[in-house]
Amino acid sequence: MKELLEKMIIRLRKQVEEKVPAEGLFPMVYECEDVSEKTGELSEIILKVSNTGVKGSENKRYLEFGAIKDSCPYGVEVVVGYGSTQDILARLQEDELLDKMMSKIPKFIEDIEYEERHPWG
């Protein structure tokens, strides 16, 4: 899983460099990988950069990491970086990002399993 996440980070960093402007709105960029064979508890993991589109926040970027499970209409997501395009690029180069993402996977699995057992709260 660690190698897969490393590759996702590298590919997303390249997309950010090419497609995310320093200022203004932009379409979301993301990397998504099928992990159903690596872990039976999750179907896909997602790493993306987006903005809110809210007036006054056009230059803010969000780096988010998430997961979904096909059999459950529920996904989990956490912000792992925030700021300007340069802040996001810097975050994507930090060694601790990979460790943080790896540490989130068990929590994602736990949250999705809880939701499957208690779908309405």
Side-chain angles (χ1 to χ4, degrees):
M1 184 68 83
K2 196 169 190 172
E3 289 177 11
L4 179 67
L5 292 176
E6 285 178 309
K7 289 176 184 176
M8 288 176 72
I9 290 169
I10 290 166
R11 290 191 311 254
L12 186 65
R13 187 171 57 228
K14 184 172 172 62
Q15 283 194 65
V16 172
E17 289 169 348
E18 294 172 357
K19 299 177 181 178
V20 178
E23 295 181 358
L25 301 176
F26 63 95
M28 177 179 58
V29 294
Y30 67 94
E31 287 295 321
C32 182
E33 288 288 340
D34 183 332
V35 293
S36 54
E37 290 183 18
K38 294 183 184 309
T39 167
E41 296 91 354
L42 300 173
S43 300
E44 294 178 349
I45 52 173
I46 303 157
L47 183 62
K48 67 181 180 178
V49 176
S50 62
N51 54 13
T52 63
V54 175
K55 188 171 174 123
S57 296
E58 296 91 348
N59 299 334
K60 294 184 175 128
R61 282 74 173 101
Y62 300 88
L63 176 61
E64 299 167 278
F65 179 53
I68 60 171
K69 185 172 182 180
D70 288 340
S71 63
C72 178
Y74 180 72
V76 291
E77 197 169 68
V78 63
V79 174
V80 292
Y82 168 79
S84 67
T85 300
Q86 289 306 313
D87 293 334
I88 297 301
L89 285 169
R91 181 71 172 141
L92 287 167
Q93 293 184 28
E94 293 174 1
D95 292 334
E96 70 184 37
L97 175 61
L98 181 59
D99 294 334
K100 181 157 187 110
M101 290 168 61
M102 287 294 296
S103 73
K104 293 293 180 189
I105 291 173
K107 180 69 172 143
F108 287 171
I109 292 168
E110 181 182 313
D111 287 352
I112 287 175
E113 286 176 349
Y114 178 84
E115 187 61 28
E116 282 183 308
R117 288 189 308 272
H118 310 286
W120 306 107

